[in-house]
Amino acid sequence: TIIDVIEKQETKTSFFKGKNIIITGGPTREALDPVRFFTNHSSGKMGYALAQAAQQLGGKVTFISGPTSLGCPAGVNCVEVTSAEEMYEAVLSGFKDADLVIKAAAVADYRPKKVYDHKIKKQMAPLIIEMERTKDIMAELGKRKTHQFLVGFAAETDKPIEHGKEKLKKKNMDAIVVNDLTKDGAGFGEDTNIVTYINQKGLEVSLPRLSKLDIAYKLFELMEQDMKDDQP
Amino acid sequence: TIIDVIEKQETKTSFFKGKNIIITGGPTREALDPVRFFTNHSSGKMGYALAQAAQQLGGKVTFISGPTSLGCPAGVNCVEVTSAEEMYEAVLSGFKDADLVIKAAAVADYRPKKVYDHKIKKQMAPLIIEMERTKDIMAELGKRKTHQFLVGFAAETDKPIEHGKEKLKKKNMDAIVVNDLTKDGAGFGEDTNIVTYINQKGLEVSLPRLSKLDIAYKLFELMEQDMKDDQP
């Protein structure tokens, strides 16, 4: 309820107040030529909700977003990027001073190996597009991590919890938020989501279907607990 | 100027009044898996402006659009589609009764040959995507044409007029509107455009940089002239 949320904000302000929080959101676009590109169905709503909540909780928030129609939440420092490469540069440049990084963006894993200067003309022969891997931002953050608390998102259509746990370990994250794209009311474009929060100790918290903003507040509660536990 | 436009609307209402006009706009999306897709930079603004102008001129307008954030112009029958295949079906289903068809959509020429049910997992091996041609909607309309006046759009980065003329002939269009994507103020996402109208007799009319709505009204003037000339 609204009252719950307001109460939470008041009681929780203290922990995140003044903390440097980087949040990413939205899709990236990977050009094939000046007209065509690869992208994905991310609407950017989950990242936007996290940025809003983080700001309300007193954080100093940088929201790095791919192309969406959502604009910038009030009181937040917004950075617009297009490609996975630009996202990499923007996230890395602020990482050293960050206390918490939440990667909710749906960054392309692959991009066309060759980007054409001119629009590719239609031809009768089949078009073969060779794709190459983009830089793995989370894996890089996991390697460079000193004091930062790292949270990733995984959107899966197949064994979501299992794949989420693998990613969490492999990339040295502190927690991962898994969402099962096959569930109604979960995932891309929706105003609601159904997620499971998993931390490094193996704690799994499954939230019911909630608005993305309510999920954001719940996630900050869970992250606060884990960040406090991590403190020496 | 605004007054010119208003005068034009009043004097031109008679010709397009009650005519069945199909206009297409926006991009299409071609799925690779449930998360990833190919698309292009079309904002749908040119098609939207054409639908608005056609309705103002008294036409019975069907606007078939790919995914955009623009909504539906007042008084227009709007049909939402996602893929090139859906666009093909929607345009063909109304074609028989149409008097004028203007294809301003940026329909994908290619789509992934295989569409995966599950999100493709990242792998170390390079990803090769084999693309196949989508159906050529304009070529099909050109073959089936009886009384319909057919207008295409061509967005080019290389020899735009030359390529436009080739397309006009090859696909049996009545006119083509060519826009040179390399010019400032032309093309995708912009509120203005710079276009050249070319008809089957070889007439070329280059318009200066104008708002997309002003261009729409100018194009209806040119089409009216050509449609009158075509009448027995």
Side-chain angles (χ1 to χ4, degrees), chain A:
Chain A
T1 70
I2 290 168
I3 289 167
D4 283 346
V5 169
I6 291 168
E7 280 172 357
K8 261 172 235 159
Q9 285 176 222
E10 281 170 2
T11 54
K12 305 289 166 170
T13 300
S14 48
F15 182 75
F16 290 104
K17 195 174 168 73
K19 286 202 160 42
N20 287 314
I21 303 175
I22 295 177
I23 293 165
T24 72
T28 65
R29 292 180 178 179
E30 307 304 325
L32 174 63
D33 68 20
V35 175
R36 300 169 175 100
F37 58 91
F38 254 106
T39 188
N40 63 64
H41 288 289
S42 172
S43 64
K45 287 177 186 171
M46 193 64 238
Y48 187 97
L50 286 161
Q52 264 186 315
Q55 193 274 336
Q56 284 294 313
L57 293 169
K60 287 168 62 183
V61 182
T62 299
F63 180 44
I64 305 170
S65 178
T68 75
S69 54
L70 300 176
C72 183
V76 167
N77 171 35
C78 287
V79 180
E80 290 176 20
V81 299
T82 301
S83 64
E85 183 65 28
E86 286 170 24
M87 179 68 82
Y88 179 92
E89 297 297 336
V91 175
L92 268 289
S93 83
F95 186 63
K96 228 177 104 183
D97 298 324
D99 299 299
L100 168 60
V101 178
I102 309 174
K103 286 198 65 286
V107 178
D109 303 324
Y110 289 95
R111 64 178 173 204
K113 193 164 181 180
K114 178 165 165 55
V115 182
Y116 294 80
D117 286 341
H118 290 277
K119 189 180 167 188
I120 300 171
K121 299 295 298 173
K122 268 183 283 194
Q123 49 199 10
M124 287 318 294
L127 180 65
I128 303 290
I129 302 176
E130 195 178 344
M131 306 287 283
E132 65 181 9
R133 288 285 296 275
T134 57
K135 288 178 191 157
D136 189 327
I137 302 172
M138 185 55 95
E140 189 61 35
L141 298 183
K143 274 180 214 154
R144 297 190 185 196
K145 182 165 79 167
T146 52
H147 64 289
Q148 299 88 346
F149 194 84
L150 274 191
V151 182
F153 269 71
E156 303 283 350
T157 55
D158 190 29
K159 295 182 196 157
I161 300 294
E162 195 183 315
H163 285 139
K165 282 180 175 174
E166 276 168 30
K167 273 190 189 175
L168 172 71
K169 283 211 174 141
K170 199 171 136 194
K171 300 192 183 178
N172 195 23
M173 300 180 204
D174 295 287
I176 192 163
V177 181
V178 174
N179 92 59
D180 179 347
L181 293 179
T182 62
K183 280 187 192 150
D184 248 26
F188 293 147
E190 302 262 3
D191 290 318
T192 60
N193 211 348
I194 306 171
V195 303
T196 301
Y197 176 92
I198 308 173
N199 73 12
Q200 239 180 5
K201 293 171 208 99
L203 172 79
E204 281 178 40
V205 181
S206 292
L207 301 178
R209 182 175 178 173
L210 290 170
S211 78
K212 288 184 173 174
L213 190 57
D214 283 344
I215 288 178
Y217 281 112
K218 291 273 183 203
L219 293 175
F220 279 107
E221 280 181 52
L222 292 161
M223 291 184 272
E224 175 175 346
Q225 199 52 57
D226 284 342
M227 289 171 79
K228 281 178 175 168
D229 288 351
D230 280 2
Q231 278 167 355

Side-chain angles (χ1 to χ4, degrees), chain B residues 15-95:
Chain B
F15 182 75
F16 289 104
K17 195 172 166 75
K19 285 202 162 39
N20 287 314
I21 304 175
I22 295 176
I23 294 164
T24 72
T28 64
R29 292 180 176 178
E30 309 303 326
L32 175 64
D33 69 18
V35 175
R36 301 167 173 100
F37 58 90
F38 253 108
T39 188
N40 62 65
H41 288 290
S42 171
S43 64
K45 287 178 187 171
M46 193 63 238
Y48 188 96
L50 286 160
Q52 264 186 314
Q55 194 274 336
Q56 284 293 312
L57 293 169
K60 285 167 64 182
V61 182
T62 300
F63 180 44
I64 305 171
S65 177
T68 74
S69 54
L70 300 176
C72 183
V76 168
N77 172 33
C78 288
V79 179
E80 292 176 18
V81 298
T82 302
S83 65
E85 182 66 28
E86 287 170 22
M87 178 70 83
Y88 178 90
E89 298 296 336
V91 175
L92 268 289
S93 84
F95 185 61

